[in-house]
Amino acid sequence: MYKLYIGNETHISFNHAKAQVKQLLIESDISYISLDAEKKDSGEIIEILSSNSLFSDRRVLFLKRFYRNKDRDKLIPFLLEYLEKNDRDELVIWEDQKVSSATKYVKYFKAKNLLEEHNTLNKIGFKKYVKDKCIENNISLDSNLIEILSQYSNYDTQRAENNIKKLRLLEKEQIRKEDILNIVENTIENDIWKLLDEMNNRDGKALDTLENLFKQKIDPLYIIPMVARNLRLITLTKHLLSNNASYSDIASAAKIPPFTVKPLIDTAQRYEWEKIKSKYEKLSNLDYEIKVGRIEPKLGLTLFCTIM
């Protein structure tokens, strides 16, 4: 048995891949190899696939980020030939991205009905996902509460699952809106990322996002360090990318969940070093002017958003 999991909804695809691996490992006489193929030497990957286990006739191999390997043009033909001859190993492959259906790689698995693709859910699909997860966790929410939970999870599947786990810990027969508002982190983090992106445009969206933060009664003195933190993450990620760091390296260095690395990389790649430096300088100046009492924090942040 072998199967390929792809798509830009990486949290769902990874969970499905892990579940498949767990199912395959139920048998006691089977060995297990987990391999992050992104930075692995292609020769070593070929050797592992070609070798026999010393302790078992059968193996479960979990290959992650195979398509990101720099030698994929050599590895993929080998893999497809190996799969045609393989009658011993169970293989689960997970890609943390959407891979074109025009590639031989994807075509091979699709033709054999061994491809599972999970892409970003629209809002209707996301709410259904949240509803299903609530049912799995024996939590009863009406459609209005599903909507609120989805919004406060920022339509992010991993965040939604974590929030549902928190709600389950309440052990309440009936969840109320207040429970969600009290226990679930809202969209502050996402709004601050949006704020950074929208500062570069002159369409006024940055001010709308800032106003939304103010409406949530978020202290400007809290927003400034959050913006600084996100700038640090962008700077660190951009530096690591210039040194050919892997996704796992970036997640480890930045101390963030692996599923949040891709959006961070996308953001870092949009920023030039001069832009990052300019933002740091202006933010530092604003922080100083607020601390010495020369400018009111809310006004200062508003000006910060308009002069960028």
Coordinates of all heavy atoms in Angstrom, one line a residue, residues 154 159 185-196 213 216 222 226-227 229-230 233 256:
N154 N -10.1 32.4 13.3 CA -9.5 33.0 12.1 C -9.6 32.1 10.9 O -8.7 32.2 10.0 CB -8.1 33.5 12.4 CG -7.6 34.5 11.3 OD1 -8.4 35.3 10.9 ND2 -6.4 34.4 10.9
R159 N -5.9 26.1 14.5 CA -6.4 26.9 15.6 C -7.8 26.5 16.1 O -8.1 26.4 17.2 CB -6.4 28.4 15.2 CG -6.7 29.3 16.4 CD -6.6 30.8 15.9 NE -5.3 31.2 15.6 CZ -5.0 32.4 15.2 NH1 -5.9 33.3 15.1 NH2 -3.7 32.7 14.9
E185 N -8.7 32.3 21.9 CA -7.9 33.5 21.5 C -8.6 34.1 20.2 O -9.0 33.3 19.3 CB -6.5 33.1 21.1 CG -5.7 32.6 22.4 CD -4.3 32.3 22.0 OE1 -3.9 32.5 20.8 OE2 -3.6 31.8 22.9
N186 N -8.7 35.4 20.2 CA -9.3 36.0 19.0 C -8.3 36.2 17.9 O -7.2 35.7 17.9 CB -10.1 37.3 19.4 CG -9.1 38.3 20.0 OD1 -7.9 38.3 19.7 ND2 -9.7 39.2 20.8
T187 N -8.6 37.1 17.0 CA -7.8 37.2 15.7 C -6.8 38.3 15.9 O -6.4 38.9 14.8 CB -8.8 37.5 14.6 OG1 -9.5 38.7 14.8 CG2 -9.7 36.4 14.3
I188 N -6.3 38.7 17.1 CA -5.4 39.8 17.2 C -4.1 39.5 16.4 O -3.6 40.4 15.7 CB -5.0 40.0 18.7 CG1 -6.2 40.4 19.5 CG2 -3.9 40.9 18.9 CD1 -6.0 40.4 21.0
E189 N -3.6 38.3 16.6 CA -2.3 37.9 15.9 C -2.5 38.1 14.4 O -1.6 38.7 13.7 CB -2.0 36.5 16.2 CG -0.7 36.0 15.4 CD 0.6 36.5 16.0 OE1 0.6 37.1 17.1 OE2 1.6 36.2 15.3
N190 N -3.6 37.6 13.8 CA -3.8 37.7 12.4 C -4.0 39.2 12.0 O -3.5 39.6 10.9 CB -5.0 36.9 12.0 CG -5.3 37.0 10.5 OD1 -4.5 36.4 9.7 ND2 -6.4 37.6 10.1
D191 N -4.7 40.0 12.8 CA -4.9 41.4 12.4 C -3.6 42.1 12.4 O -3.4 43.0 11.6 CB -5.9 42.0 13.4 CG -7.3 41.7 13.1 OD1 -7.6 41.2 12.0 OD2 -8.2 41.9 14.0
I192 N -2.6 41.8 13.3 CA -1.4 42.5 13.3 C -0.5 42.1 12.1 O 0.2 42.9 11.5 CB -0.6 42.2 14.6 CG1 -1.4 42.9 15.8 CG2 0.8 42.7 14.6 CD1 -0.9 42.7 17.1
W193 N -0.6 40.8 11.6 CA 0.1 40.4 10.4 C -0.6 41.2 9.2 O 0.2 41.7 8.4 CB -0.1 38.9 10.1 CG 0.9 38.1 10.9 CD1 0.6 37.2 11.9 CD2 2.3 38.0 10.7 NE1 1.8 36.6 12.3 CE2 2.8 37.1 11.6 CE3 3.2 38.7 9.9 CZ2 4.2 36.8 11.7 CZ3 4.5 38.4 9.9 CH2 5.0 37.5 10.8
K194 N -1.9 41.3 9.2 CA -2.5 42.1 8.2 C -2.1 43.5 8.2 O -1.9 44.2 7.1 CB -4.1 42.0 8.3 CG -4.7 40.8 7.9 CD -6.2 40.7 8.2 CE -6.9 41.9 7.6 NZ -8.4 41.8 7.9
L195 N -2.0 44.1 9.4 CA -1.5 45.5 9.6 C -0.2 45.7 8.9 O 0.0 46.7 8.2 CB -1.5 45.8 11.1 CG -1.3 47.3 11.5 CD1 -2.6 48.0 11.0 CD2 -1.1 47.4 13.0
L196 N 0.8 44.8 9.1 CA 2.1 44.9 8.5 C 2.0 44.9 7.0 O 2.7 45.7 6.3 CB 3.0 43.8 9.0 CG 3.8 44.0 10.3 CD1 4.4 42.7 10.8 CD2 4.8 45.1 10.1
L213 N -8.6 46.6 15.6 CA -7.9 46.3 16.9 C -8.3 47.2 18.0 O -8.5 46.7 19.1 CB -6.4 46.4 16.6 CG -5.8 45.3 15.7 CD1 -4.4 45.7 15.3 CD2 -5.7 44.0 16.5
Q216 N -11.5 46.2 19.5 CA -11.4 45.0 20.4 C -10.8 45.5 21.7 O -10.6 44.6 22.6 CB -10.5 44.0 19.7 CG -11.1 43.4 18.5 CD -10.2 42.3 17.9 OE1 -9.9 41.3 18.5 NE2 -9.7 42.6 16.7
Y222 N 0.3 47.3 23.6 CA 0.4 45.8 23.4 C 0.6 45.6 21.9 O 1.4 44.7 21.5 CB -0.9 45.1 23.8 CG -0.9 43.7 23.5 CD1 -0.3 42.7 24.2 CD2 -1.7 43.2 22.4 CE1 -0.3 41.4 23.9 CE2 -1.7 41.9 22.0 CZ -1.0 41.0 22.8 OH -1.0 39.6 22.5
M226 N 3.9 43.5 19.6 CA 3.4 42.5 18.7 C 3.9 42.7 17.3 O 4.4 41.8 16.6 CB 1.9 42.3 18.7 CG 1.4 41.7 20.0 SD 1.7 40.0 20.1 CE 0.6 39.3 18.9
V227 N 3.8 44.0 16.8 CA 4.4 44.3 15.5 C 5.9 44.1 15.4 O 6.4 43.5 14.5 CB 4.0 45.8 15.1 CG1 4.8 46.2 13.9 CG2 2.5 46.0 15.0
R229 N 7.6 41.9 17.3 CA 7.8 40.5 17.3 C 7.6 39.9 15.9 O 8.5 39.1 15.4 CB 6.8 39.8 18.2 CG 6.8 38.3 18.1 CD 5.6 37.7 18.9 NE 5.5 36.3 18.7 CZ 4.8 35.7 17.7 NH1 4.1 36.5 16.8 NH2 4.7 34.4 17.5
N230 N 6.6 40.3 15.2 CA 6.4 39.8 13.8 C 7.5 40.3 12.9 O 7.9 39.5 12.0 CB 5.0 40.2 13.3 CG 3.9 39.5 14.0 OD1 4.2 38.7 14.9 ND2 2.7 39.8 13.7
L233 N 10.3 37.9 13.5 CA 10.1 36.6 12.8 C 10.4 36.7 11.3 O 11.0 35.8 10.7 CB 8.7 36.2 13.0 CG 8.3 35.7 14.4 CD1 6.8 35.3 14.5 CD2 9.2 34.4 14.8
I256 N 8.0 28.2 16.4 CA 6.6 28.3 16.0 C 6.1 26.9 15.4 O 7.0 26.1 15.1 CB 6.4 29.3 14.8 CG1 7.3 29.0 13.7 CG2 6.7 30.7 15.4 CD1 7.1 30.0 12.5

